[in-house]
Amino acid sequence: ELRAHQSSPARVPKTKTCTTTAFARPSNSAVDRLDLTGLSEEDVRALVPQAWREDTTNASSHGMASRGEGWKDSRGGPIELAKKNEHPGAESFHKSSRSCLTQRDAWRFQGDGLFAQVARAVCTADVLPRKELFETWEAALIITEVFGDRLDSRDEKNADGDEKEEKEEEGKHTRVLDLAGGHGFLALCVLVLNPHCTSALVVDRRKPDSYGKLLTELTKAFPKIHGRARFEQASLAGVCFERDENETALLVSVHACGTLSDLILQIASESKISVALVPCCHRGLGSARLLAKRLSVGSVHTKNGDLHENEKSKMNADTKASAQSEISAPTAVDVARVTLLRRAGFHVVTKTLPREITPENRVILGAFGEINEVDNTDNNQKKSGERAVSPGWVSVNAGVPESPWRWF
């Protein structure tokens, strides 16, 4: 009976016409794939982004966040937390804690800013760890700061300074794809910060119950995100892209573990899609440790990677102080990823999350072309009688009749 069951033909699901691209996980790490032939030691050390080097120096000397104490929401004003003299127990509230936020924590987030409203909705959902709230929101702020123009589906201001006009009549769409999204909280935060982003798609192998709870509570607080986000259960090895020249896509991911970060960068590189990534869980650091020695400030190495004794004695006090904060092996892996992305034709910007939230705070943002460039191409005009719709809801739109009120 078992053999008969196994040999029976499986039901083939219905397929839709689309461009399908399968991506295999890289067999080698980014460090192994990085070719440094022909580069001097000074050129190799210059590969480290200045923001990451300063963050490493600050972490070794102070152990505080790279952005100082003034952690602010650029769109909603300062992030206000309850003071310890107002509520007992407020002083024990650590942003890096993995404890789950509950309704009892809602009083900690005061004010009418975007972050306060999002945080109170998260507390009501009672599913998200405290650390993920702060790090995901900070990552969404950085994504909005760098890619805000690309996520805006409106026309730029004209010469007379008039306000932006909606591109929906022309079929222009902007979509965020949250790969390995888990709770889907990053995609929802990007939608909150970018109200003119058309849609968001969360892709992961399993859809957790927390996604529905977060979506419900955030939709109550921000009704505009209703119908603009959906979850797709799929493996990233078989990602299916449905794009046209009127769609602008952005790949995002926070804490993509291990080689998953390399896979996401590979998808972005081969598809020429903008990407924002926060890597974590670096593995296979054997070759990365050798690269980290070469990337450290003030170090002069031989062919086998060792520091000359006579060069050590020649180092002045400033060089010794800077050499105390050596580049770590995980940082070296991310430096290799940035270098490979740049060699693929991407313009890369590097940022850092506050270290008081997470030590895995490096952010990689890349776009094929200039970061600040706004795509104003208008090749396909909207046909008469054809409605613009989010690419994520084509099947739903097909069964909805035309509204007679659209002319009014």
Side-chain angles (χ1 to χ4, degrees), residues 198-386:
T198 308
S199 63
L201 176 65
V202 184
V203 181
D204 209 329
R205 301 174 68 178
R206 186 182 66 86
K207 182 179 179 180
D209 296 336
S210 56
Y211 169 77
K213 296 179 180 179
L214 283 173
L215 181 60
T216 300
E217 297 302 329
L218 287 174
T219 302
K220 292 179 182 178
F222 303 94
K224 288 186 177 181
I225 70 174
H226 174 69
R228 293 164 55 197
R230 69 186 182 96
F231 200 106
E232 182 72 22
Q233 297 187 75
S235 173
L236 295 186
V239 176
C240 175
F241 288 103
E242 294 179 314
R243 296 183 57 203
D244 54 30
E245 54 188 6
N246 284 331
E247 178 180 318
T248 301
L250 173 63
L251 305 182
V252 299
S253 183
V254 171
H255 288 333
C257 297
T259 57
L260 193 58
S261 295
D262 296 313
L263 177 59
I264 293 175
L265 293 177
Q266 177 187 350
I267 294 174
S269 177
E270 296 184 4
S271 304
K272 310 301 184 202
I273 301 178
S274 302
V275 61
L277 174 69
V278 181
C280 81
C281 301
H282 303 76
R283 301 184 179 93
L285 300 179
S287 57
R289 294 187 179 93
L290 298 178
L291 178 60
K293 293 181 180 180
R294 300 183 63 183
L295 295 175
S296 299
V297 177
S299 60
V300 180
H301 297 82
T302 60
K303 293 182 179 180
N304 59 2
D306 296 330
L307 188 65
H308 283 296
E309 293 297 334
N310 57 348
E311 295 294 343
K312 290 183 180 180
S313 60
K314 295 180 181 179
M315 295 172 62
N316 54 28
D318 296 337
T319 306
K320 289 182 179 180
S322 61
Q324 291 178 357
S325 57
E326 296 182 353
I327 299 299
S328 62
T331 304
V333 175
D334 293 337
V335 171
R337 289 167 174 167
V338 169
T339 305
L340 292 175
L341 195 61
R342 284 173 174 163
R343 291 180 179 180
F346 279 68
H347 180 69
V348 182
V349 173
T350 54
K351 301 283 187 176
T352 56
L353 303 177
R355 190 169 282 271
E356 63 179 347
I357 301 175
T358 174
E360 300 286 348
N361 63 339
R362 292 174 296 278
V363 187
I364 302 174
L365 306 107
F368 193 73
E370 294 295 331
I371 286 287
N372 296 327
E373 181 181 357
V374 179
D375 186 12
N376 290 323
T377 57
D378 186 16
N379 298 327
N380 293 337
Q381 295 292 334
K382 180 178 181 296
K383 298 180 181 180
S384 59
E386 181 179 332

Side-chain angles (χ1 to χ4, degrees), residues 18 29 35 39 69 72 86 89 91 149 161 227-228 265 308 401:
C18 61
S29 66
D35 185 10
L39 295 182
E69 298 178 357
K72 298 184 178 181
E86 299 175 358
E91 68 279 0
D149 292 337
R228 293 164 55 197
L265 293 177
H308 283 296

